[in-house]
Amino acid sequence: MRVERVVPILQVPDIASAVELHRAVLGWSVLMDHGWIVTLGDSDGHQVSLLTHDASAPTNPDVSVFVDDVHEAHRRALAAGAEIVHPLTEEPWGVTRFFYRDTAGRVINVGTHT
């Protein structure tokens, strides 16, 4: 299994104003906009996501880690005894993902584009 990218997720109360501010300061473009989550980035691959609430999970993640084999990552999380807080799910927006809670209580979204 290979990690392809890591994207921090900032929880925000007002996504439109957060997008406007980060675009103005960083000069980044909107790469993805689902209304409840927006990912900003540049042509060098730097990215940050802004999130109001997760559309299908019971909790908001703190970071997204995209891998080339989400099923292997899920198997590893189970083998490590990680608390799975969102089951392995094929989401309607084209991502298969699961969430686990790390030892400090952070929620990690592990996924792959399907």
Side-chain angles (χ1 to χ4, degrees), residues 19-51:
V19 167
E20 182 180 319
L21 177 65
H22 290 293
R23 287 185 70 195
V25 173
L26 301 174
W28 286 356
S29 300
V30 172
L31 304 177
M32 176 192 75
D33 184 348
H34 289 299
W36 53 274
I37 187 169
V38 174
T39 299
L40 302 173
D42 64 20
S43 61
D44 292 325
H46 305 108
Q47 296 181 357
V48 66
S49 289
L50 308 169
L51 170 78

Side-chain angles (χ1 to χ4, degrees), residues 81-99:
E83 177 190 358
I84 305 299
V85 295
H86 181 60
L88 187 62
T89 305
E90 189 172 318
E91 303 289 6
W93 54 89
V95 171
T96 300
R97 67 183 184 151
F98 70 95
F99 295 3

Side-chain angles (χ1 to χ4, degrees), residues 4-28:
E4 296 177 331
R5 77 185 150 106
V6 178
V7 181
I9 301 172
L10 306 177
Q11 191 168 313
V12 298
D14 178 349
I15 205 157
S17 64
V19 167
E20 182 180 319
L21 177 65
H22 290 293
R23 287 185 70 195
V25 173
L26 301 174
W28 286 356

